[in-house]
Amino acid sequence: MKAPGGAQWAWGGSGGHGGSRGFLVGVGEGYGDTGGAQRVPGGGPWVLGGPVSDVRSCSGSGGCRRRWRRRWGGPGGAGGAAALPGGASGALPRGEAAERGRGETGPHERALELLAELCESLDNATDFCALGGLETVVGLLGHPWAPLRAGAARVVGACAQNLPGAQGRALALGALPALLGGLRGDPDPRVPPCALFAISCLVRAQPEGLEQFERLGGLEALGGALQSPRPPLRARAAFLLHCLLREHPRLREPLCRLGMVAQLGAVLRTEHDGAHEHVLGALCSLASDFPEGVRECRAPALGLEELLRERRGLLRGREEFQEELEFCERLLQLCFGTPPRRAPWIGDPGTPPGTPPHPPGPPGSIETPPQDPLGPSGPPWAPQLQGG
Protein backbone atom coordinates (compact mmCIF):
# COMPACT_ATOMS: atom_id res chain seq x y z
CA MET A 1 0.00 0.00 0.00
CA LYS A 2 1.64 3.24 -1.13
CA ALA A 3 1.89 6.49 0.81
CA PRO A 4 2.50 9.96 -0.61
CA GLY A 5 5.86 10.18 -2.37
CA GLY A 6 6.15 6.43 -2.96
CA ALA A 7 6.71 5.33 0.63
CA GLN A 8 5.19 2.07 1.75
CA TRP A 9 3.18 1.37 4.84
CA ALA A 10 3.38 -1.03 7.73
CA TRP A 11 0.84 -1.10 10.52
CA GLY A 12 2.30 -0.38 13.92
CA GLY A 13 -0.53 -0.99 16.36
CA SER A 14 -3.98 0.05 17.47
CA GLY A 15 -5.63 1.89 20.27
CA GLY A 16 -4.47 5.23 21.58
CA HIS A 17 -5.39 8.27 23.57
CA GLY A 18 -9.04 9.09 23.50
CA GLY A 19 -10.15 6.02 21.61
CA SER A 20 -9.08 3.25 19.31
CA ARG A 21 -7.26 3.98 16.09
CA GLY A 22 -4.92 2.26 13.71
CA PHE A 23 -1.60 3.77 12.67
CA LEU A 24 0.96 3.17 9.98
CA VAL A 25 4.73 3.26 9.97
CA GLY A 26 6.37 4.33 6.73
CA VAL A 27 9.77 2.87 5.89
CA GLY A 28 9.79 3.22 2.16
CA GLU A 29 11.70 4.84 -0.63
CA GLY A 30 11.11 8.29 -1.99
CA TYR A 31 10.20 10.36 1.07
CA GLY A 32 11.97 12.69 3.43
CA ASP A 33 11.54 13.78 7.02
CA THR A 34 8.11 15.32 7.44
CA GLY A 35 9.02 16.98 10.70
CA GLY A 36 6.06 15.43 12.47
CA ALA A 37 3.32 12.85 12.36
CA GLN A 38 1.42 13.21 9.08
CA ARG A 39 -2.23 12.21 8.97
CA VAL A 40 -3.49 9.70 6.45
CA PRO A 41 -7.11 8.95 5.51
CA GLY A 42 -8.95 7.22 8.33
CA GLY A 43 -7.35 9.10 11.19
CA GLY A 44 -4.13 7.11 11.65
CA PRO A 45 -0.87 9.08 11.98
CA TRP A 46 1.94 8.38 9.49
CA VAL A 47 4.86 7.85 11.83
CA LEU A 48 7.90 8.89 9.86
CA GLY A 49 10.64 11.21 10.98
CA GLY A 50 8.86 13.29 13.56
CA PRO A 51 7.55 12.76 17.09
CA VAL A 52 6.13 9.34 17.77
CA SER A 53 5.16 9.81 21.42
CA ASP A 54 1.48 9.71 20.49
CA VAL A 55 1.75 6.09 19.42
CA ARG A 56 4.43 4.62 21.70
CA SER A 57 1.83 3.78 24.35
CA CYS A 58 -0.53 2.00 21.97
CA SER A 59 -1.80 -1.39 23.04
CA GLY A 60 -3.60 -4.03 21.06
CA SER A 61 -7.36 -3.95 20.64
CA GLY A 62 -8.97 -6.81 18.75
CA GLY A 63 -11.96 -4.79 17.52
CA CYS A 64 -9.78 -1.92 16.33
CA ARG A 65 -7.38 -4.28 14.56
CA ARG A 66 -10.28 -5.85 12.69
CA ARG A 67 -11.56 -2.42 11.66
CA TRP A 68 -8.06 -1.39 10.60
CA ARG A 69 -7.64 -4.53 8.50
CA ARG A 70 -10.93 -3.96 6.72
CA ARG A 71 -9.90 -0.41 5.90
CA TRP A 72 -6.22 -0.76 5.08
CA GLY A 73 -5.64 -4.33 4.01
CA GLY A 74 -4.28 -7.58 5.35
CA PRO A 75 -6.32 -10.70 6.07
CA GLY A 76 -9.96 -9.93 5.39
CA GLY A 77 -9.20 -6.49 3.96
CA ALA A 78 -9.31 -5.13 0.45
CA GLY A 79 -6.00 -3.33 0.32
CA GLY A 80 -3.59 -6.26 0.34
CA ALA A 81 -0.66 -6.71 2.69
CA ALA A 82 1.12 -3.59 3.82
CA ALA A 83 4.90 -3.62 3.67
CA LEU A 84 8.05 -1.89 4.76
CA PRO A 85 10.71 -1.18 2.11
CA GLY A 86 9.84 -3.11 -1.02
CA GLY A 87 11.60 -6.36 -1.77
CA ALA A 88 14.99 -7.73 -0.82
CA SER A 89 16.74 -4.67 -2.19
CA GLY A 90 15.79 -2.73 0.95
CA ALA A 91 14.66 0.82 1.47
CA LEU A 92 17.39 2.42 -0.62
CA PRO A 93 18.89 1.36 -3.98
CA ARG A 94 21.98 -0.71 -3.21
CA GLY A 95 24.20 1.33 -5.50
CA GLU A 96 23.40 4.56 -3.66
CA ALA A 97 23.08 3.41 -0.04
CA ALA A 98 26.75 3.62 0.83
CA GLU A 99 26.88 7.28 -0.25
CA ARG A 100 23.79 8.35 1.64
CA GLY A 101 24.16 9.62 5.16
CA ARG A 102 22.03 9.87 8.28
CA GLY A 103 19.87 12.58 6.72
CA GLU A 104 18.60 10.12 4.11
CA THR A 105 18.17 7.04 6.32
CA GLY A 106 17.11 8.60 9.61
CA PRO A 107 13.36 8.12 8.99
CA HIS A 108 13.93 4.48 8.06
CA GLU A 109 15.99 3.89 11.18
CA ARG A 110 13.43 5.54 13.46
CA ALA A 111 10.60 3.55 11.91
CA LEU A 112 12.48 0.28 12.50
CA GLU A 113 13.20 1.30 16.10
CA LEU A 114 9.51 1.98 16.63
CA LEU A 115 8.50 -1.31 15.04
CA ALA A 116 10.92 -3.23 17.28
CA GLU A 117 9.39 -1.57 20.33
CA LEU A 118 5.81 -2.15 19.21
CA CYS A 119 6.38 -5.77 18.22
CA GLU A 120 7.37 -6.66 21.76
CA SER A 121 3.60 -6.84 22.19
CA LEU A 122 2.28 -10.23 21.05
CA ASP A 123 -0.80 -8.64 19.48
CA ASN A 124 1.25 -6.17 17.48
CA ALA A 125 3.79 -8.82 16.44
CA THR A 126 1.01 -11.15 15.32
CA ASP A 127 -0.63 -8.49 13.18
CA PHE A 128 2.66 -7.23 11.78
CA CYS A 129 3.53 -10.75 10.62
CA ALA A 130 0.04 -11.34 9.23
CA LEU A 131 0.40 -8.19 7.13
CA GLY A 132 3.62 -9.39 5.52
CA GLY A 133 6.00 -7.31 7.61
CA LEU A 134 8.49 -10.11 8.25
CA GLU A 135 9.01 -10.70 4.54
CA THR A 136 10.18 -7.15 4.04
CA VAL A 137 12.22 -6.84 7.25
CA VAL A 138 14.13 -10.06 6.53
CA GLY A 139 15.04 -8.51 3.18
CA LEU A 140 16.76 -5.67 5.03
CA LEU A 141 19.16 -7.95 6.92
CA GLY A 142 21.61 -7.71 4.04
CA HIS A 143 21.15 -4.01 3.34
CA PRO A 144 24.34 -2.00 2.64
CA TRP A 145 23.49 0.58 5.34
CA ALA A 146 24.47 -0.84 8.76
CA PRO A 147 21.79 0.92 10.89
CA LEU A 148 19.12 -0.68 8.73
CA ARG A 149 20.71 -4.12 9.11
CA ALA A 150 20.80 -3.69 12.87
CA GLY A 151 17.25 -2.31 13.01
CA ALA A 152 15.90 -5.14 10.89
CA ALA A 153 17.55 -7.72 13.15
CA ARG A 154 15.94 -6.10 16.19
CA VAL A 155 12.50 -6.26 14.57
CA VAL A 156 12.98 -9.94 13.64
CA GLY A 157 13.98 -10.73 17.22
CA ALA A 158 11.11 -8.73 18.72
CA CYS A 159 8.58 -10.58 16.56
CA ALA A 160 10.08 -14.01 17.15
CA GLN A 161 10.89 -13.94 20.86
CA ASN A 162 7.45 -15.10 22.04
CA LEU A 163 5.67 -16.05 18.82
CA PRO A 164 6.27 -19.56 17.43
CA GLY A 165 4.50 -18.70 14.17
CA ALA A 166 6.87 -15.79 13.59
CA GLN A 167 9.85 -18.02 14.39
CA GLY A 168 8.81 -20.56 11.80
CA ARG A 169 8.08 -17.91 9.18
CA ALA A 170 11.41 -16.13 9.73
CA LEU A 171 13.27 -19.44 9.45
CA ALA A 172 11.42 -20.29 6.23
CA LEU A 173 12.36 -16.88 4.80
CA GLY A 174 16.07 -17.57 5.38
CA ALA A 175 16.58 -15.17 8.27
CA LEU A 176 19.04 -17.40 10.13
CA PRO A 177 21.80 -17.54 7.47
CA ALA A 178 21.61 -13.76 7.09
CA LEU A 179 21.76 -13.23 10.86
CA LEU A 180 24.71 -15.60 11.24
CA GLY A 181 26.49 -13.68 8.51
CA GLY A 182 25.93 -10.48 10.48
CA LEU A 183 27.21 -12.11 13.65
CA ARG A 184 30.34 -13.55 12.05
CA GLY A 185 31.65 -10.72 10.00
CA ASP A 186 29.67 -7.49 9.98
CA PRO A 187 32.17 -4.61 10.10
CA ASP A 188 29.79 -2.33 12.01
CA PRO A 189 29.77 -2.94 15.80
CA ARG A 190 26.05 -2.19 16.04
CA VAL A 191 25.00 -5.17 13.95
CA PRO A 192 26.38 -8.32 15.68
CA PRO A 193 24.63 -7.77 19.06
CA CYS A 194 21.29 -7.22 17.31
CA ALA A 195 21.89 -10.23 15.08
CA LEU A 196 22.69 -12.40 18.10
CA PHE A 197 19.54 -11.22 19.87
CA ALA A 198 17.46 -12.32 16.87
CA ILE A 199 19.35 -15.63 16.61
CA SER A 200 18.63 -16.31 20.27
CA CYS A 201 14.92 -15.73 19.68
CA LEU A 202 14.93 -18.13 16.71
CA VAL A 203 16.79 -21.07 18.25
CA ARG A 204 15.72 -21.24 21.89
CA ALA A 205 12.72 -23.53 22.43
CA GLN A 206 12.55 -23.92 18.65
CA PRO A 207 13.81 -27.34 17.44
CA GLU A 208 13.78 -26.38 13.77
CA GLY A 209 15.76 -23.24 14.50
CA LEU A 210 18.34 -25.09 16.58
CA GLU A 211 18.75 -27.71 13.86
CA GLN A 212 19.38 -24.99 11.28
CA PHE A 213 21.71 -23.21 13.67
CA GLU A 214 23.88 -26.30 14.12
CA ARG A 215 23.86 -27.15 10.43
CA LEU A 216 24.95 -23.62 9.47
CA GLY A 217 27.89 -23.61 11.90
CA GLY A 218 26.13 -21.56 14.55
CA LEU A 219 28.00 -23.15 17.46
CA GLU A 220 31.30 -22.09 15.91
CA ALA A 221 29.94 -18.58 15.35
CA LEU A 222 28.87 -18.45 18.99
CA GLY A 223 32.40 -19.38 20.04
CA GLY A 224 33.73 -16.58 17.87
CA ALA A 225 31.37 -14.07 19.51
CA LEU A 226 32.71 -15.11 22.92
CA GLN A 227 36.14 -13.87 21.82
CA SER A 228 34.84 -10.47 20.73
CA PRO A 229 36.59 -7.44 22.24
CA ARG A 230 33.13 -5.88 22.78
CA PRO A 231 31.66 -6.74 26.21
CA PRO A 232 27.97 -6.52 25.15
CA LEU A 233 28.48 -9.12 22.44
CA ARG A 234 30.44 -11.42 24.76
CA ALA A 235 27.68 -11.15 27.38
CA ARG A 236 24.93 -12.07 24.94
CA ALA A 237 26.96 -14.96 23.48
CA ALA A 238 27.65 -16.35 26.97
CA PHE A 239 23.98 -16.01 27.88
CA LEU A 240 22.82 -17.89 24.77
CA LEU A 241 25.41 -20.63 25.26
CA HIS A 242 24.37 -21.06 28.90
CA CYS A 243 20.69 -21.30 27.91
CA LEU A 244 21.32 -23.80 25.11
CA LEU A 245 23.33 -26.07 27.38
CA ARG A 246 20.62 -26.01 30.04
CA GLU A 247 17.88 -26.74 27.52
CA HIS A 248 19.84 -29.19 25.35
CA PRO A 249 22.47 -31.16 27.31
CA ARG A 250 23.30 -33.15 24.15
CA LEU A 251 25.20 -30.06 22.94
CA ARG A 252 27.96 -30.73 25.48
CA GLU A 253 29.70 -33.20 23.18
CA PRO A 254 29.89 -31.05 20.01
CA LEU A 255 30.84 -28.00 22.06
CA CYS A 256 33.68 -29.86 23.76
CA ARG A 257 34.92 -31.00 20.35
CA LEU A 258 35.03 -27.34 19.31
CA GLY A 259 37.27 -26.48 22.29
CA MET A 260 34.57 -24.50 24.06
CA VAL A 261 35.97 -25.17 27.55
CA ALA A 262 39.25 -23.48 26.66
CA GLN A 263 37.41 -20.57 25.02
CA LEU A 264 35.26 -20.05 28.11
CA GLY A 265 38.33 -20.21 30.32
CA ALA A 266 39.93 -17.48 28.22
CA VAL A 267 36.87 -15.23 28.71
CA LEU A 268 37.18 -15.64 32.50
CA ARG A 269 40.65 -14.09 32.29
CA THR A 270 39.33 -10.90 30.70
CA GLU A 271 38.26 -7.88 32.75
CA HIS A 272 35.21 -8.79 34.79
CA ASP A 273 31.89 -7.99 33.11
CA GLY A 274 28.37 -9.32 32.64
CA ALA A 275 29.56 -12.30 30.60
CA HIS A 276 31.41 -14.00 33.46
CA GLU A 277 28.35 -15.24 35.34
CA HIS A 278 27.02 -16.99 32.22
CA VAL A 279 30.47 -18.31 31.31
CA LEU A 280 30.69 -20.01 34.71
CA GLY A 281 27.14 -21.32 34.30
CA ALA A 282 28.01 -22.77 30.90
CA LEU A 283 31.12 -24.45 32.33
CA CYS A 284 28.97 -25.99 35.08
CA SER A 285 26.65 -27.40 32.42
CA LEU A 286 29.59 -28.77 30.42
CA ALA A 287 30.99 -30.50 33.53
CA SER A 288 27.70 -31.87 34.91
CA ASP A 289 27.37 -35.63 34.29
CA PHE A 290 29.84 -35.36 31.42
CA PRO A 291 33.31 -36.82 32.10
CA GLU A 292 34.88 -35.26 29.01
CA GLY A 293 33.86 -31.82 30.20
CA VAL A 294 35.35 -32.48 33.64
CA ARG A 295 38.58 -33.72 32.06
CA GLU A 296 38.94 -30.57 29.94
CA CYS A 297 38.22 -28.33 32.92
CA ARG A 298 41.03 -30.08 34.82
CA ALA A 299 43.60 -29.52 32.05
CA PRO A 300 46.70 -28.00 33.74
CA ALA A 301 47.21 -25.56 30.87
CA LEU A 302 43.81 -24.01 31.60
CA GLY A 303 44.67 -23.22 35.23
CA LEU A 304 40.97 -23.23 36.08
CA GLU A 305 41.20 -24.39 39.70
CA GLU A 306 43.47 -21.56 40.75
CA LEU A 307 41.37 -19.06 38.81
CA LEU A 308 38.16 -20.27 40.46
CA ARG A 309 39.62 -20.13 43.96
CA GLU A 310 40.82 -16.59 43.37
CA ARG A 311 37.47 -15.57 41.92
CA ARG A 312 35.62 -17.14 44.84
CA GLY A 313 37.59 -15.03 47.26
CA LEU A 314 36.75 -11.87 45.35
CA LEU A 315 33.05 -12.70 45.08
CA ARG A 316 32.45 -13.78 48.66
CA GLY A 317 30.30 -11.35 50.59
CA ARG A 318 29.23 -9.45 47.45
CA GLU A 319 25.47 -9.86 47.18
CA GLU A 320 25.32 -8.58 43.60
CA PHE A 321 27.54 -11.50 42.53
CA GLN A 322 25.77 -14.22 44.48
CA GLU A 323 24.79 -16.35 41.47
CA GLU A 324 28.28 -16.11 40.03
CA LEU A 325 29.70 -17.22 43.37
CA GLU A 326 27.37 -20.23 43.38
CA PHE A 327 28.59 -21.22 39.93
CA CYS A 328 32.19 -20.95 41.17
CA GLU A 329 31.44 -23.19 44.12
CA ARG A 330 29.61 -25.70 41.98
CA LEU A 331 32.37 -25.88 39.39
CA LEU A 332 35.06 -26.36 42.04
CA GLN A 333 33.02 -29.18 43.52
CA LEU A 334 32.32 -30.85 40.15
CA CYS A 335 35.86 -30.73 38.79
CA PHE A 336 38.20 -30.51 41.76
CA GLY A 337 36.27 -32.07 44.66
CA THR A 338 36.32 -28.83 46.64
CA PRO A 339 33.44 -28.68 49.14
CA PRO A 340 31.34 -25.53 48.88
CA ARG A 341 32.15 -22.66 51.20
CA ARG A 342 29.66 -19.95 51.89
CA ALA A 343 30.25 -16.45 53.18
CA PRO A 344 29.62 -15.83 56.89
CA TRP A 345 26.33 -14.25 57.76
CA ILE A 346 25.04 -12.48 60.78
CA GLY A 347 23.59 -15.61 62.37
CA ASP A 348 26.87 -17.59 62.34
CA PRO A 349 28.68 -18.09 65.67
CA GLY A 350 31.71 -15.86 65.90
CA THR A 351 30.61 -13.55 63.10
CA PRO A 352 32.56 -10.28 63.33
CA PRO A 353 30.49 -7.20 64.21
CA GLY A 354 29.21 -5.36 61.17
CA THR A 355 28.92 -8.46 58.95
CA PRO A 356 25.95 -7.81 56.63
CA PRO A 357 22.99 -10.18 56.85
CA HIS A 358 23.31 -12.99 54.33
CA PRO A 359 20.99 -16.00 54.62
CA PRO A 360 22.82 -19.29 54.11
CA GLY A 361 20.69 -20.90 51.40
CA PRO A 362 21.61 -24.24 49.84
CA PRO A 363 25.21 -24.15 48.54
CA GLY A 364 25.59 -24.86 44.85
CA SER A 365 21.98 -24.01 44.03
CA ILE A 366 22.13 -22.98 40.36
CA GLU A 367 18.74 -23.89 39.02
CA THR A 368 17.50 -20.32 38.58
CA PRO A 369 17.06 -19.75 34.82
CA PRO A 370 19.66 -17.31 33.48
CA GLN A 371 18.52 -13.77 32.84
CA ASP A 372 19.20 -12.16 29.48
CA PRO A 373 21.92 -9.54 30.09
CA LEU A 374 20.81 -7.34 27.23
CA GLY A 375 17.26 -7.80 26.03
CA PRO A 376 16.45 -6.31 22.64
CA SER A 377 17.45 -2.74 23.41
CA GLY A 378 21.04 -2.70 24.59
CA PRO A 379 23.53 -3.60 27.30
CA PRO A 380 23.45 -2.82 30.99
CA TRP A 381 26.91 -2.70 32.48
CA ALA A 382 27.71 -5.21 35.18
CA PRO A 383 29.28 -3.92 38.42
CA GLN A 384 33.05 -4.04 38.21
CA LEU A 385 34.82 -6.65 40.29
CA GLN A 386 38.14 -5.30 41.47
CA GLY A 387 40.99 -7.71 41.03
CA GLY A 388 39.04 -9.93 38.54
Side-chain angles (χ1 to χ4, degrees), residues 33-38 46-51:
D33 194 328
T34 62
Q38 177 177 333
W46 176 16
V47 181
L48 199 57

Side-chain angles (χ1 to χ4, degrees), residues 181-344:
L183 174 62
R184 287 187 179 106
D186 199 287
D188 192 289
R190 292 168 289 187
V191 175
C194 294
L196 191 50
F197 163 63
I199 289 168
S200 178
C201 295
L202 289 173
V203 304
R204 293 186 59 201
Q206 170 55 262
E208 180 188 351
L210 182 58
E211 181 184 348
Q212 271 197 41
F213 182 71
E214 292 184 78
R215 188 171 65 249
L216 294 168
L219 296 178
E220 293 90 333
L222 199 55
L226 282 170
Q227 309 307 315
S228 168
R230 296 189 287 272
L233 186 58
R234 286 201 307 270
R236 180 170 292 286
F239 166 76
L240 178 55
L241 180 64
H242 185 192
C243 290
L244 290 177
L245 281 165
R246 287 173 55 91
E247 296 164 6
H248 306 280
R250 66 170 182 81
L251 294 176
R252 292 176 301 192
E253 184 175 348
L255 286 168
C256 276
R257 286 201 307 267
L258 292 172
M260 188 59 69
V261 170
Q263 293 185 58
L264 293 170
V267 176
L268 287 178
R269 296 189 180 279
T270 63
E271 184 177 357
H272 188 267
D273 59 33
H276 285 211
E277 176 186 323
H278 298 295
V279 165
L280 288 166
L283 284 169
C284 284
S285 296
L286 285 167
S288 297
D289 300 317
F290 190 56
E292 179 62 22
V294 173
R295 187 186 67 80
E296 293 200 17
C297 286
R298 288 175 174 172
L302 192 60
L304 187 58
E305 182 176 12
E306 180 183 356
L307 177 62
L308 291 174
R309 291 183 186 279
E310 178 185 347
R311 182 62 52 87
R312 182 177 62 179
L314 292 168
L315 295 172
R316 189 172 291 121
R318 304 281 296 277
E319 185 177 355
E320 67 271 32
F321 298 117
Q322 182 60 31
E323 287 188 67
E324 189 174 338
L325 175 60
E326 290 174 357
F327 285 133
C328 263
E329 299 276 19
R330 177 66 173 159
L331 197 54
L332 280 165
Q333 185 178 21
L334 284 168
C335 299
F336 306 104
T338 304
R341 292 169 56 190
R342 61 176 173 84

